[in-house]
Every structure is written in C-alpha cells, then in structure tokens.
C-alpha cells in the first residue's frame, strides 16, 4: 500500500496538468465507449486499449455481469448504462470477459459460496444462461468456454434494456464482445458467426 500511496502523492508532479489535454478534462467527458469488464485487478481497460483519460467510461464488477433489465432495487450497473447512453452519448459498448476469471471459475466448479452470500447472489444472475456451457466446458483452467459464453449472454441481456435497444434499432449503437487472455495479452473479438477470433494488430 505504501507504494500506491507514494505514487498517488506524486501523481501531480508526474503529469503535466497544464497541457491542453488535461485542462479540457475539467470541461467535461466525451468517452468513445462504455467498457464493461470484470473487477479483476489483472484486467485494466486503459492498459489493454491504450485509452487516454476521458476516452472510455468503465463499468466493472465481478464477472462482468449485466443485471436483467428491471431488476428490483437500485443498480449501479443499470445507472451506468443509462448515463453512458443518455447523457454521454457513447456509440459503442464493449463487454470484455477474461481468462482465469475467479467468478467464472466459481460457477464452473460449483463452489460452496455460503460464506460469501453477496458473491453467491450476484453469480446467480449469470448461472441459468450459462448452465449449458458449464456442463460442457473443458477443464482448461483459463476457462475460455465459460468466459466467452458469459460475454455472449451479457450482450444478450444488454439488448433487453430499452435504452440499448432503441439505439441499436436506430443504428446509433454498436455492441462488441471481447475475451482477454491474462497470460498472453491477446484480445479475441466476437464475430458475427458467434466465434471469438484474434485479429492482427
């Protein structure tokens, strides 16, 4: 923690906040995309995409899960999606799963999560639609089948949000599915045929 604190305390000295780029950030944000991904500390959207401050709007949670539209109670996920589209006007949404995901691993192994009731309740949102993948997935510890299946399912959930559906129907929004390999840095993109592929940079 000391190293993090030291870097935070020296941040202003390490960055030129007088340059035009940083001064414009105070005037507002105009991100290009909403990036929905896992809270996993190894998955860093700005590092993966090379995004500069202000370029991506992030939504992170365990397992990059999108709650069903109209779920009871307040939802930070629903609020973030609405704000990104209605206020910020983003035109692209990326749902990015990743290899070696603890949330997907817990679903695949059927771990007893009674000691983690919040985690258990949260993962229940993804379990039903993932059931066919969970039973058929290989024993690969990177869990590509499960993580990629989850990305596809969360994109489907996104399409049930009226604010998403209206923009898709009007050609004002594009949805993207990504799978990031923690150990290689490769990004696999979901294609129209339902397969994830790596594209040459």
């Amino acid at each position: 923690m000391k190293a993090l604190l030291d870097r935070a305390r020296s941040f202003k000295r390490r960055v030129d906040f007088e340059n035009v780029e940083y001064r414009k950030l105070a005037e507002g944000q105009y991100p290009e995309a909403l990036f929905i991904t896992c809270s996993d500390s190894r998955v860093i959207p700005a590092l993966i995409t090379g995004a500069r401050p202000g370029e991506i709007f992030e939504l992170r949670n365990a397992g990059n899960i999108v709650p069903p539209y109209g779920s009871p109670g307040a939802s930070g996920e629903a609020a973030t999606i609405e704000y990104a589209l209605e206020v910020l006007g983003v035109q692209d949404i990326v749902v990015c799963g990743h290899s070696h995901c603890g949330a997907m691993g817990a679903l695949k192994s059927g771990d007893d999560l009674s000691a983690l009731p919040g985690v258990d309740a949260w993962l229940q949102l993804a379990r039903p639609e993932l059931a066919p993948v969970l039973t058929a997935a290989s024993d690969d510890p990177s869990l590509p089948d499960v993580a990629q299946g989850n990305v596809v399912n969360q994109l489907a959930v996104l399409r049930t949000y009226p604010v998403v559906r209206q923009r898709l129907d009007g050609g004002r929004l594009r949805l993207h599915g990504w799978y990031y390999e923690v150990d290689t840095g490769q990004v696999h993109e979901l294609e129209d045929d339902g397969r994830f592929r790596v594209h040459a940079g």
Side-chain angles (χ1 to χ4, degrees), residues 1-14:
M1 188 64 196
K2 183 181 184 309
L4 296 177
L5 280 170
D6 288 345
R7 289 196 294 269
R9 289 167 179 158
S10 66
F11 182 55
K12 189 178 186 315
R13 292 195 308 272
R14 291 184 284 115

Side-chain angles (χ1 to χ4, degrees), residues 120-150:
D120 191 37
W122 180 248
L123 293 182
Q124 290 295 344
L125 296 175
R127 183 174 280 122
E129 295 301 320
L130 268 180
V133 180
L134 293 173
T135 56
S138 69
D139 291 328
D140 184 337
S142 67
L143 301 164
D145 301 338
V146 180
Q148 291 175 13
N150 185 53

Side-chain angles (χ1 to χ4, degrees), residues 27-45:
E27 300 169 9
Q29 59 171 323
Y30 307 96
E32 296 178 25
L34 169 61
F35 200 96
I36 301 174
T37 194
C38 188
S39 300
D40 193 299
S41 62
R42 300 165 294 180
V43 181
I44 306 169

Side-chain angles (χ1 to χ4, degrees), residues 5-199:
L5 280 170
D6 288 345
R7 289 196 294 269
R9 289 167 179 158
S10 66
F11 182 55
K12 189 178 186 315
R13 292 195 308 272
R14 291 184 284 115
V15 176
D16 179 12
F17 281 94
E18 294 304 316
N19 73 27
V20 174
E21 178 184 2
Y22 276 95
R23 292 179 72 138
K24 286 179 74 173
L25 292 175
E27 300 169 9
Q29 59 171 323
Y30 307 96
E32 296 178 25
L34 169 61
F35 200 96
I36 301 174
T37 194
C38 188
S39 300
D40 193 299
S41 62
R42 300 165 294 180
V43 181
I44 306 169
L47 186 63
I48 295 167
T49 63
R52 303 285 299 153
E55 289 184 340
I56 54 176
F57 197 59
E58 295 182 25
L59 169 55
R60 302 185 67 169
N61 62 45
N64 43 273
I65 294 170
V66 178
Y69 176 74
S71 296
S75 165
E77 288 76 19
T80 300
I81 292 163
E82 283 181 7
Y83 190 84
L85 295 176
E86 296 280 24
V87 179
L88 300 178
V90 302
Q91 296 184 348
D92 292 272
I93 299 178
V94 176
V95 176
C96 180
H98 69 96
S99 68
H100 306 87
C101 179
M104 297 302 104
L107 286 171
K108 174 70 171 79
S109 65
D111 290 348
D112 177 9
L113 297 175
S114 56
L116 301 167
V119 173
D120 191 37
W122 180 248
L123 293 182
Q124 290 295 344
L125 296 175
R127 183 174 280 122
E129 295 301 320
L130 268 180
V133 180
L134 293 173
T135 56
S138 69
D139 291 328
D140 184 337
S142 67
L143 301 164
D145 301 338
V146 180
Q148 291 175 13
N150 185 53
V151 168
V152 171
N153 292 341
Q154 301 316 312
L155 288 168
V157 174
L158 267 175
R159 291 186 184 94
T160 69
Y161 280 62
V163 67
V164 172
R165 193 168 57 249
Q166 289 163 7
R167 280 163 174 73
L168 286 172
D169 291 346
R172 294 178 292 148
L173 179 66
R174 295 171 295 270
L175 300 182
H176 311 270
W178 291 5
Y179 169 72
Y180 171 67
E181 288 185 347
V182 169
D183 52 332
T184 69
Q186 286 189 317
V187 174
H188 303 242
E189 300 171 48
L190 179 62
E191 308 228 333
D192 292 339
D193 63 2
R195 295 177 181 270
F196 284 80
R197 292 187 176 87
V198 176
H199 290 268

